[in-house]
Amino acid sequence: MELEETLGLQEFAKILKKRSWLIIILTVISIAISAGISFYALTPVYEAQTQILVNQNNSAEGVYSWQTTETDLRLINTYNVIITSPVILTPVIDALDLNYTPSQLTQQISISNENDSKVVTISVEDSNPSKAAEISNKVAEVFKEQIPHLMSVDNISILSAAKLSENPTPVKPNKMLNVAIGGLIGIMVGIGMSFLLEFLDMTIKSETDVEDYLELPVIGMVDFIKEDKQKKFSLNLRKARRS
């Protein structure tokens, strides 16, 4: 069993070595294609985040009860739905004069908050970093203004507004990751093509192939005679004939 496994690994390595040129070429081509698409074809996408705090107004005695905290946490799930609803996004579109519909704008917005945290993060992705920050901040502002009318509560405050950095970095695409994935795909395709070509190659190259394909026993072999040995053999043959 161990001998068969060793022979299998040797054949595997032999095929990879034989077709290494194909694997290298396909890997280089795949890396070049993925790099070209990532660096020149895909539009960079930037992200801006605004954080809001869900927090009931304190009572006159300054006591903040456990029940109030539980109420705020339960409301967060409802707020997450309201933030991306047309009630909030339509005024945002009008205020910023955006060429989006509420459903299109929803695709650019994601809402998140940590477990048992009353901080809600509004994340907006856009090809324009400045527009992403404007949308994120405006969504938070409109939500803060509208929530008292929608739910008769006033427990929203803006904790951290989105700001445009001097050198914004896109969050998409991940160029290096795409190149690495392209290289991995090239290697896998190259290995697959190598074994496919080897499987389709029906030429007989060794005595093992004769036994496998023709089912005939090998009783003798004619080895290849190198040129120097062939000359030496011919010279000896002439001498033998003269004598």
Side-chain angles (χ1 to χ4, degrees):
M1 185 65 178
E2 293 182 0
L3 180 60
E4 292 178 356
E5 292 179 356
T6 303
L7 291 175
L9 292 175
Q10 289 177 348
E11 290 296 323
F12 183 83
K14 184 178 179 180
I15 294 173
L16 294 182
K17 183 178 180 181
K18 178 182 176 181
R19 306 286 183 181
S20 60
W21 60 272
L22 177 62
I23 298 174
I24 293 173
I25 290 175
L26 290 177
T27 301
V28 172
I29 291 175
S30 182
I31 290 176
I33 291 174
S34 61
I37 293 175
S38 298
F39 283 88
Y40 301 105
L42 296 179
T43 302
V45 176
Y46 299 86
E47 184 182 63
Q49 294 183 341
T50 301
Q51 291 183 324
I52 60 175
L53 178 64
V54 180
N55 189 12
Q56 294 282 358
N57 291 329
N58 292 345
S59 62
E61 293 79 11
V63 178
Y64 198 79
S65 66
W66 176 82
Q67 290 84 355
T68 301
T69 301
E70 285 296 307
T71 301
D72 289 338
L73 292 176
R74 290 195 192 99
L75 285 174
I76 286 177
N77 291 331
T78 303
Y79 291 164
N80 292 346
V81 177
I82 294 175
I83 290 173
T84 55
S85 68
V87 175
I88 303 299
L89 298 186
T90 299
V92 172
I93 293 172
D94 295 337
L96 299 179
D97 194 22
L98 302 175
N99 294 322
Y100 301 140
T101 63
S103 60
Q104 290 174 332
L105 186 56
T106 300
Q107 302 301 317
Q108 298 180 227
I109 301 175
S110 60
I111 312 299
S112 62
N113 71 290
E114 298 294 334
N115 293 334
D116 297 331
S117 170
K118 295 191 292 181
V119 177
V120 178
T121 302
I122 302 173
S123 302
V124 178
E125 294 182 352
D126 196 271
S127 58
N128 187 326
S130 177
K131 183 182 292 186
E134 289 179 356
I135 294 174
S136 180
N137 289 331
K138 182 57 67 175
V139 168
E141 292 172 7
V142 172
F143 177 69
K144 180 182 177 182
E145 294 171 359
Q146 294 296 326
I147 200 63
H149 307 292
L150 295 173
M151 299 189 65
S152 300
V153 292
D154 186 10
N155 62 344
I156 301 298
S157 58
I158 297 177
L159 184 64
S160 175
K163 296 180 181 179
L164 180 64
S165 61
E166 296 182 358
N167 298 306
T169 303
V171 294
K172 298 178 183 178
N174 190 330
K175 299 176 182 178
M176 299 309 299
L177 178 61
N178 290 347
V179 171
I181 293 175
L184 181 61
I185 292 175
I187 293 174
M188 295 174 63
V189 172
I191 293 175
M193 287 292 295
S194 298
F195 281 96
L196 178 61
L197 292 175
E198 192 69 22
F199 176 77
L200 296 176
D201 187 3
M202 303 301 294
T203 58
I204 296 176
K205 307 179 186 64
S206 65
E207 67 275 10
T208 304
D209 294 337
V210 174
E211 295 176 346
D212 292 339
Y213 299 146
L214 303 181
E215 298 182 355
L216 296 174
V218 178
I219 58 176
M221 293 177 58
V222 178
D223 199 3
F224 176 74
I225 301 177
K226 295 183 178 180
E227 186 176 355
D228 56 341
K229 291 184 178 181
Q230 186 176 5
K231 291 180 179 179
K232 185 177 180 180
F233 176 77
S234 299
L235 180 61
N236 293 334
L237 184 61
R238 292 195 196 100
K239 291 180 180 180
R241 288 176 177 176
R242 289 174 184 173
S243 61

